[in-house]
Amino acid sequence: MASLAGCYGSGTEGVEIMGNQSIAQNLDVQAFYDAGVPEDISIELTAGPEETDARAESFVTVLDAQQEKPDIMVMDNGWTIPFIARENIVNLEAELDDSFVDRVRSESFEMLVETGSHPETGELWALPFFPDFPTMQYRKDLFREEGYTDSEFDRWSTDPPSWAEWSSAVADVHDGADVDYGYVWQADSYPGLSCCTFNELMSSYGGAYFGGLDTLFGPVGERPITVEEPPVIEALNVGRDMVHGTSDATQDIAQCSPNVVFGWAEQETDGAFVGDANAVAMRNWVYTIGLADDQFTGDQELGVMPMPYGVPESEARYDGLGGTAAALGGWLIGVNPNTTDLESTLEVIRAFHSEEVQEAQLNGPGFLPHQPDLVERLAGDHPAFGDYTETLRLTGDNTVARPVTPVWSQQTQQAYQEINDALQRRKSPSEAMNDLATALGELENI
């Protein structure tokens, strides 16, 4: 948990920020001083475990042992709320002035703020650092060969097609293309399926694990379990139809995906679409835009759009669902309550919301700003993201978080096993969701 990258300023003890290797090596600390942090406050960047669950465990160890360092912890939005619910980190809303907190709320991606807020009081306990979310990436050159033009590409960049339309288009392009795969995505039996890939597909059809967004983060044991509802069943059938072509869904979904996706996570889809240039389209996170920009050669041309939609928002039962939906990834900033210099630590915390630091994180580690306005303004000049800023902002505005609570780490395992079983046709969607509803109910009432 070491790997010191930089120590700046003349303070005697300093503020330590623990993130990952990329942050420790590539984030320019001078940006914090440019944003107003006093020069006499030294800032250290250190790298904790790269794997997200290991990072969470390391922070539990730090806090249980009441260690004073790190002062600032870079926390995955997928597990920050349990730290907040247990009041393991500092309540930033109680320590920062109201006007700053209001600015953070109003200027940041809304769902990222929600994952840094106390599920009962709504108080801000963790500050947004950077968002992550998937987009639909596709080979424009292959689509051009089938007669698609810039007019379609331009429209899709902010107005994506439905899953029915997109599956049909990918199937047509794949039939005429010299690549092995059509649409590749992550459907392995692993946490990414339940938190992200299926969560966003289900949300685009208006379905949810626990009702609408109002009950996303609890209260545990008091919220409805809604996985047996028709939109969730429809989303499973859509996933089955894309691979098996069995016409289980009520919509006309074309067979466009290989069955190997049932064993694929991010690395395998990266390899197929980017590394081997052997697929028509791919669902994946923002980092793969940069990979494709670096590795596509010759006539290979990348297209990026928001994820397709299942049903229009107006047809969804729950507010905020339906339409294009993307799983929320990304990271937040939490403060160690055992820090010996809270005042200096808060100075650094404030700087994370500055344009200077967000520009440095974009140009260094390559992390998007957490402010939508800065995504368009700053990322517009970025070599990998510059052509896609409107798409990225729209996608960021339509993210949906996993239902993070202290029991989600147990629930997610039940969810991805049942979802994968249904997609692979080991169980019917109704049977799988009935079994999942029972398991979720038992865990809700532990």
Side-chain angles (χ1 to χ4, degrees), residues 133-135 196 200 203 283 307 324-329 395-396 398-401:
F133 38 74
T135 55
C196 303
E200 68 196 17
S203 298
R283 175 257 182 224
M307 297 301 293
T324 180
L328 177 68
T395 301
N398 287 277
T399 55
V400 58

Side-chain angles (χ1 to χ4, degrees), residues 215-293:
T215 50
L216 193 62
F217 306 125
V220 175
E222 299 178 23
R223 53 189 176 167
I225 297 171
T226 52
V227 294
E228 296 179 274
E229 292 185 347
V232 181
I233 303 299
E234 176 73 350
L236 287 169
N237 282 326
V238 167
R240 286 155 62 105
D241 285 357
M242 283 195 287
V243 176
H244 300 296
T246 46
S247 301
D248 292 327
T250 61
Q251 294 183 342
D252 187 10
I253 303 295
Q255 185 176 8
C256 60
S257 296
N259 61 13
V260 290
V261 298
F262 295 139
W264 278 10
E266 283 78 0
Q267 183 176 358
E268 291 82 10
T269 50
D270 293 350
F273 181 76
V274 179
D276 295 335
N278 198 26
V280 173
M282 171 184 71
R283 175 257 182 224
N284 221 328
W285 303 91
V286 168
Y287 76 91
T288 53
I289 295 174
L291 291 180
D293 184 70

Side-chain angles (χ1 to χ4, degrees), residues 94-217:
E95 302 294 340
L96 298 167
D97 59 275
D98 292 344
S99 61
F100 176 78
V101 173
D102 289 344
R103 279 181 47 223
V104 170
R105 282 205 179 95
S106 64
E107 295 173 354
S108 305
F109 282 115
E110 181 180 357
M111 190 60 73
L112 197 59
V113 172
E114 290 294 318
T115 60
S117 302
H118 197 291
E120 295 181 7
T121 67
E123 293 175 309
L124 188 70
W125 284 62
L127 197 78
F129 183 12
F130 65 92
D132 199 6
F133 38 74
T135 55
M136 181 65 73
Q137 298 164 39
Y138 62 97
R139 289 273 303 276
K140 278 186 180 180
D141 52 300
L142 300 182
F143 275 80
R144 289 189 196 282
E145 291 173 5
E146 291 302 310
Y148 290 86
T149 66
D150 285 336
S151 62
E152 280 97 357
F153 305 148
D154 291 344
R155 183 176 74 253
W156 291 345
S157 68
T158 55
D159 183 19
S162 69
W163 277 109
E165 294 166 332
W166 182 245
S167 65
S168 177
V170 171
D172 289 343
V173 171
H174 184 218
D175 284 345
D178 186 22
V179 295
D180 288 340
Y181 307 119
Y183 168 50
V184 295
W185 45 296
Q186 303 83 39
D188 194 10
S189 184
Y190 81 123
L193 177 62
S194 48
C195 82
C196 303
T197 315
F198 182 71
N199 188 23
E200 68 196 17
L201 180 64
M202 171 178 66
S203 298
S204 80
Y205 280 92
Y209 291 109
F210 302 103
L213 300 180
D214 291 344
T215 50
L216 193 62
F217 306 125

